[in-house]
């Protein structure tokens, strides 16, 4: 062959495909998109025993050639399209040894399509039955290789078998199913391919015909397996565990407890590496300033470029920890149970049982939570989950709430255990959940889809996690974030640096001279002088002018132009609010939130003479930060996951409009 042969790795979800892919390709793999779409496909190179190299494509999991999900339809179109980039020359079909009967349906369909197929039986160390692989291969008329991806048993046998498999350009086999009314009742690859093509493109095949075909193939499979698969008793612990884990009352409680542990682990484990990253880039920025002195170049490198890099790498520990824990839950088979538990409830809001993982993960950070929606097969349900996940209060909102809650609720002990401010903090998280569910219901009414959502789910046996598979998943997700979203975050950070560092004409220089003159008149200390200069320069910058420009718009919410600057800079990341407010009010950007809160309590509005941060303004700000999408990192990830700027723009406008409306109502009502 003049081109590199393409071998597709196909199988049902939870069949062991990913583990086999990792075992065959090792580090020679990459993640890319299907041509023209945003569905990720893993590809890797496999070096065969004869020195040849083949490209291995890990296709999204599906159950039959009549899929309901967009991912599944994409796989079928790839199989039917001879000129498609990923159209395979041969197929490695993977089945879980413990679920072999239910997972052979798709295999018979692929054989009838005329593909050279090698059946790989994974997880052969599962107890409870014995398989005669020679009889199975003879009955199916395809080669069969049992493997263990955990111990790498027989992996080399697959590499030895691939050259012969690829040499079978048009294998002749007895069909498993004959199409009614076909010529002489015969079926070959061309006939069945045309039949499926008409179903895919013209929807001629009815549901009745699909059911009839499925039942016929199932009967054939049962007869073929009768002499090759025998039960030897064994203990089925999965069934006993599921009676507890999937119980209508106990099951959700167990899931909440597990997710709380995951949530706590993300906070606890990620805090040290995140602090280390902040410390490193802080030191790096200080060294740059020290080496280059004051000037635009040192500011650009330290406050623009390095700050952007820090903003990218800051999230990597959370992403890595989240996907590490989620991968373990996936590998053990638990996540399939969680999806089953919550599917019916979330369907009412236009989402899917798999959405529950993303929504809970959003409490730590929306970025890894949105990335985890890739497990949602239905396109509309995944999109709705992506759009509403940022409503869940993330850790970046904590410093903002900490500063502002005191202006709304005085500290008071309640019941000897709780306090008023802590309860309000919990209430804000609950309000975020309500906003997410309500918004999901709205999007459900707007986003119409012809695809009917069915939760087709086979509960796998509980098993020990494959640590190689877990590591490859963490590496893939963290690497994708750094390479894709990171580029956008760095650019936006440098734009914000420019807006805050430069002004019109000589405005910045004049502002600094004015500040120095005032500092000399009032005999301020060096620290106070630096803070005053920073405040005056910020006011004269493009960002300051933009704050004054939007002041008429934000005045109805109770905000002045200084709060407007904090709002603008907060769109890089919400936690920027504290540093921005400290600088603009001459307290210093290194001020902690408690000192800032004390200072802000005494700030007066020059127009009204009233306290700027009163009950009404603080409540309005809290609601705005709760509901608005003020995270460029999140927008970058949404752009990456949806493949277009359309949805992040809609998401940004929708959440911003809702935040403005709710904040306006709250301020006008209580002021």
């Amino acid at each position: 062959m003049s081109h590199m042969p393409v071998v597709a790795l196909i199988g049902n979800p939870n069949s062991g495909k990913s583990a086999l892919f990792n075992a065959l390709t090792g580090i020679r793999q990459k993640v890319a998109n299907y041509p023209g779409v945003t569905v990720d496909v893993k590809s890797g190179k496999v070096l065969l025993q004869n020195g040849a190299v083949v490209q291995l494509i890990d296709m999204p999991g599906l159950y039959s050639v009549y899929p309901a999900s967009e991912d599944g339809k994409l796989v079928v179109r790839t199989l039917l399209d001879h000129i498609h980039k990923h159209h395979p020359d041969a197929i490695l079909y993977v089945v879980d040894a413990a679920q072999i009967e239910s997972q052979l349906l798709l295999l018979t369909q692929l054989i009838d399509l005329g593909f050279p197929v090698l059946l790989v039986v994974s997880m052969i160390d599962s107890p409870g039955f014995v398989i005669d692989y020679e009889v199975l291969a003879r009955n199916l008329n395809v080669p069969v290789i049992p493997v263990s991806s955990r111990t790498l048993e027989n992996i080399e046998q697959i590499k030895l078998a691939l050259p012969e498999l690829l040499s079978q350009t048009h294998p002749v086999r007895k069909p498993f199913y004959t199409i009614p009314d076909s010529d002489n009742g015969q079926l070959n690859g061309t006939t069945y391919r045309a039949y499926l093509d008409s179903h895919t493109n013209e929807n001629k095949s009815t549901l009745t015909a699909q059911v009839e075909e499925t039942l016929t193939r199932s009967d054939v499979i049962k007869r073929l397996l009768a002499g090759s698969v025998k039960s030897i008793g064994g203990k089925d612990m999965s069934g006993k565990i599921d009676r507890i884990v999937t119980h209508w009352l106990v099951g959700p409680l167990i899931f909440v407890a597990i997710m709380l542990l995951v949530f706590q682990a993300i906070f606890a484990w990620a805090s040290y590496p995140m602090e280390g990253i902040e410390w490193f880039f802080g030191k790096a920025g200080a060294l740059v300033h020290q080496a280059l002195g004051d000037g635009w170049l040192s500011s650009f490198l330290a406050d623009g470029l390095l700050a952007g890099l820090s903003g990218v790498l800051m999230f990597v520990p959370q992403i890595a920890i989240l996907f590490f824990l989620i991968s373990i839950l996936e590998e053990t088979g638990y996540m399939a149970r969680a999806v089953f538990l919550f599917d019916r409830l979330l369907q009412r809001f236009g989402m899917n049982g798999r959405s529950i993982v993303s929504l809970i993960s959003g409490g730590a950070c929306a970025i890894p939570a949105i990335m985890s929606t890739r497990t949602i097969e239905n396109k509309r349900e995944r999109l709705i989950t992506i759009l509403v996940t940022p409503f869940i209060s993330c850790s970046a909102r904590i410093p903002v709430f900490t500063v502002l809650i005191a202006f709304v609720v005085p500290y008071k002990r309640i019941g000897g255990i709780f306090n008023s401010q802590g309860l309000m903090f919990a209430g804000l998280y609950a309000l975020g959940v309500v906003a997410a569910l309500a918004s999901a219901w709205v999007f459900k009414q707007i986003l119409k889809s012809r695809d009917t959502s069915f939760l087709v789910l086979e509960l796998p046996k509980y098993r020990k996690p494959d640590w190689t598979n877990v590591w490859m998943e963490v590496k893939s997700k963290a690497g994708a974030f750094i390479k894709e979203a990171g580029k956008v975050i760095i650019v936006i950070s440098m734009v914000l640096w420019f807006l805050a560092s430069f002004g019109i004409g000589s405005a910045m220089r004049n502002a600094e001279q004015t500040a120095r003159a005032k500092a000399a008149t009032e005999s301020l200390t060096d620290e106070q002088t630096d803070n005053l200069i920073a405040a005056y320069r910020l006011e004269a910058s493009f960002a300051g002018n933009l704050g004054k420009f939007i002041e008429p718009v934000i005045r109805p919410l109770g905000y002045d132009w200084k709060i407007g600057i904090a709002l603008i800079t907060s769109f890089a990341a919400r936690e920027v609010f504290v540093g921005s407010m400290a600088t603009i009010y001459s307290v210093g950007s290194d001020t902690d939130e408690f000192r800032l809160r004390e200072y802000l309590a005494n700030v007066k509005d020059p127009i009204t003479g009233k306290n700027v941060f009163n009950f009404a303004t603080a409540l309005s700000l809290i609601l705005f930060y709760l509901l608005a999408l003020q995270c460029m990192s999140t927008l970058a990830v949404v752009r990456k996951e949806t493949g277009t700027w359309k949805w992040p723009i809609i998401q940004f406008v929708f959440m911003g409009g809702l935040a403005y409306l709710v904040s306006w109502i709250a301020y006008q009502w209580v002021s």
Side-chain angles (χ1 to χ4, degrees):
M1 297 181 182
S2 59
H3 72 290
M4 184 184 297
V6 176
V7 178
L9 198 59
I10 297 180
N12 291 184
N14 299 310
S15 62
K17 280 194 315 95
S18 297
L20 180 61
F21 177 79
N22 292 331
L24 286 170
T25 62
I27 62 173
R28 298 180 297 275
Q29 60 178 264
K30 62 180 181 178
V31 178
N33 286 340
Y34 271 89
V37 296
T38 58
V39 176
D40 279 345
V41 54
K42 289 183 179 179
S43 67
K45 295 180 180 179
V46 180
L47 179 63
L48 304 184
Q49 301 289 358
N50 61 2
V53 178
V54 301
Q55 183 182 18
L56 186 64
I57 305 293
D58 187 7
M59 299 283 191
L62 73 162
Y63 293 98
S64 79
V65 292
Y66 302 105
S69 71
E70 287 297 317
D71 286 7
K73 291 178 181 178
L74 182 65
V75 174
V76 174
R77 288 196 296 268
T78 303
L79 295 174
L80 298 179
D81 185 358
H82 284 283
I83 63 173
H84 193 282
K85 177 182 178 181
H86 299 307
H87 181 78
D89 299 297
I91 291 174
L92 294 181
Y93 188 80
V94 187
V95 297
D96 180 352
Q99 309 284 348
I100 188 169
E101 180 177 332
S102 62
Q103 294 186 357
L104 286 183
L105 170 66
L106 177 58
L107 171 68
T108 65
Q109 293 172 325
L110 295 175
I111 292 174
D112 286 347
L113 279 173
F115 284 104
V117 179
L118 169 64
L119 175 60
V120 180
V121 182
S122 68
M123 308 177 204
I124 56 176
D125 46 359
S126 300
F129 55 91
V130 63
I131 300 176
D132 189 328
Y133 297 105
E134 291 185 3
V135 174
L136 181 62
R138 188 165 57 249
N139 289 346
L140 294 173
N141 197 21
V142 296
V144 178
I145 297 180
V147 303
S148 172
S149 301
R150 191 185 314 278
T151 63
L152 302 183
E153 180 181 351
N154 289 342
I155 296 297
E156 292 301 317
Q157 294 299 317
I158 296 177
K159 297 180 181 180
L160 286 172
L162 279 177
E164 181 179 351
L165 185 70
L166 289 166
S167 68
Q168 302 174 19
T169 54
H170 299 288
V172 178
R173 300 187 182 95
K174 181 180 178 181
F176 291 93
Y177 177 71
T178 55
I179 301 173
D181 301 325
S182 62
D183 295 339
N184 301 321
Q186 296 299 310
L187 177 70
N188 54 46
T190 303
T191 306
Y192 191 52
R193 191 180 299 271
Y195 177 72
L196 289 182
D197 189 61
S198 68
H199 166 77
T200 303
N201 296 326
E202 303 175 25
N203 203 27
K204 290 181 180 180
S205 180
T206 63
L207 180 61
T208 302
Q210 294 179 34
V211 172
E212 179 183 346
E213 177 183 339
T214 300
L215 293 176
T216 301
R217 289 182 183 275
S218 297
D219 289 340
V220 173
I221 291 169
K222 287 180 180 178
R223 292 197 301 270
L224 292 176
L225 293 181
S228 57
V229 180
K230 300 178 181 178
S231 174
I232 57 174
K235 296 181 179 180
D236 184 14
M237 294 301 297
S238 293
K240 296 179 180 179
I241 296 174
D242 280 343
R243 281 195 285 271
I244 300 174
V245 172
T246 62
H247 188 272
W248 68 272
L249 177 60
V250 179
L253 295 177
I254 293 175
F255 177 80
V256 170
I258 292 175
M259 286 296 106
L260 285 175
L261 291 175
V262 171
F263 182 78
Q264 177 62 31
I266 292 173
F267 268 103
W269 297 353
S271 60
Y272 293 109
M274 291 176 74
E275 289 173 2
I277 292 171
E278 281 188 306
W279 176 86
F280 174 80
F281 280 98
K283 291 293 183 181
L287 289 175
V288 169
H289 280 300
Q290 183 179 354
L292 300 179
D294 295 333
W296 72 267
L297 180 59
S298 63
S299 180
F300 169 77
L301 293 175
D303 305 326
L305 183 60
L306 288 178
L309 287 171
S310 175
V312 173
L313 299 179
M314 270 279 294
F315 293 106
V316 172
Q318 287 187 327
I319 292 172
I321 291 171
L322 174 66
F323 281 106
F324 171 73
L325 296 173
I326 295 300
S327 295
I328 290 177
L329 294 176
E330 278 282 2
E331 284 284 307
T332 58
Y334 176 77
M335 289 307 297
R337 276 77 181 175
V339 169
F340 169 78
L341 278 172
F342 290 95
D343 183 69
R344 181 174 297 181
L345 171 64
L346 293 178
Q347 285 279 353
R348 299 176 182 176
F349 296 96
M351 291 184 283
N352 182 281
R354 299 181 188 274
S355 303
I356 191 67
V357 178
S358 304
L359 295 177
I360 292 182
S361 301
C365 179
I367 293 170
I370 289 172
M371 292 173 68
S372 70
T373 61
R374 295 174 183 178
T375 60
I376 302 174
E377 295 181 353
N378 183 276
K379 184 177 180 180
R380 184 183 71 157
E381 292 171 349
R382 183 188 179 214
L383 178 59
I384 291 176
T385 305
I386 289 174
L387 293 176
V388 305
T389 292
F391 278 114
I392 306 299
S393 291
C394 63
S395 58
R397 290 179 170 102
I398 293 176
V400 181
F401 292 161
T402 303
V403 169
L404 297 174
I405 282 178
F407 295 105
V408 178
V409 179
Y411 182 87
K412 182 180 179 182
R413 298 289 296 181
I414 298 176
I417 301 176
F418 306 102
N419 66 74
S420 56
Q421 294 178 355
L423 290 177
M424 181 176 180
F425 192 81
L428 292 175
Y429 272 82
L431 184 58
V433 173
V434 172
L437 294 177
S439 299
W441 185 86
V442 171
F443 283 122
K444 178 185 177 183
Q445 312 310 311
I446 298 173
L447 300 175
K448 302 300 181 182
S449 173
R450 290 180 296 179
D451 293 330
T452 304
S453 177
F454 298 101
L455 182 64
V456 180
L457 188 67
E458 184 176 57
L459 298 182
K461 301 290 185 182
Y462 288 103
R463 55 182 180 266
K464 295 179 181 179
D466 185 323
W467 296 110
T468 300
N469 206 29
V470 171
W471 159 245
M472 297 301 295
E473 182 73 5
V474 172
K475 177 185 174 184
S476 172
K477 295 297 189 296
F481 169 75
I482 293 173
K483 288 186 289 187
E484 301 298 331
K487 292 181 289 189
V488 179
I489 296 171
I490 291 174
V491 170
I492 291 174
S493 296
M494 290 190 291
V495 170
L496 288 173
W497 165 84
F498 176 82
L499 293 177
S501 301
F502 295 93
I504 301 173
S506 59
M508 299 287 281
R509 185 172 61 254
N510 294 337
E512 182 173 344
Q513 292 174 353
T514 302
R516 291 189 183 280
K518 183 176 180 180
T521 302
E522 299 180 1
S523 301
L524 300 180
T525 64
D526 290 342
E527 181 182 358
Q528 292 173 328
T529 300
D530 290 340
N531 290 333
L532 187 64
I533 291 173
Y536 272 51
R537 284 179 58 84
L538 184 60
E539 181 178 351
S541 69
F542 289 119
N545 281 277
L546 187 57
K548 290 187 176 182
F549 176 76
I550 68 172
E551 187 174 33
V553 178
I554 61 177
R555 265 293 176 185
L557 307 183
Y559 315 154
D560 61 7
W561 71 268
K562 296 181 180 180
I563 297 177
I565 293 178
L567 287 179
I568 294 172
T569 57
S570 291
F571 282 103
R574 296 178 183 92
E575 58 268 37
V576 176
F577 171 83
V578 175
S580 298
M581 295 303 297
T583 299
I584 198 62
Y585 282 107
S586 301
V587 182
S589 58
D590 59 343
T591 301
D592 63 71
E593 59 266 27
F594 299 105
R595 182 181 168 196
L596 175 63
R597 185 172 58 193
E598 180 182 344
Y599 183 89
L600 295 181
N602 298 316
V603 174
K604 303 291 183 181
D605 188 318
I607 298 177
T608 64
K610 298 180 180 179
N611 287 341
V612 171
F613 288 89
N614 50 37
F615 175 83
T617 301
L619 178 62
S620 175
L621 265 175
I622 286 175
L623 293 174
F624 190 91
Y625 274 84
L626 176 71
L627 300 174
L629 180 49
Q630 298 168 287
C631 182
M632 294 300 144
S633 307
T634 299
L635 288 173
V637 169
V638 174
R639 161 66 179 84
K640 164 69 167 56
E641 295 299 310
T642 61
T644 175
W645 278 109
K646 171 186 174 182
W647 294 114
I649 290 173
I650 291 175
Q651 184 183 40
F652 180 82
V653 173
F654 175 79
M655 294 183 67
L658 180 63
Y660 188 94
L661 177 62
V662 172
S663 299
W664 177 78
I665 292 174
Y667 181 76
Q668 298 297 329
W669 180 45
V670 301
S671 61

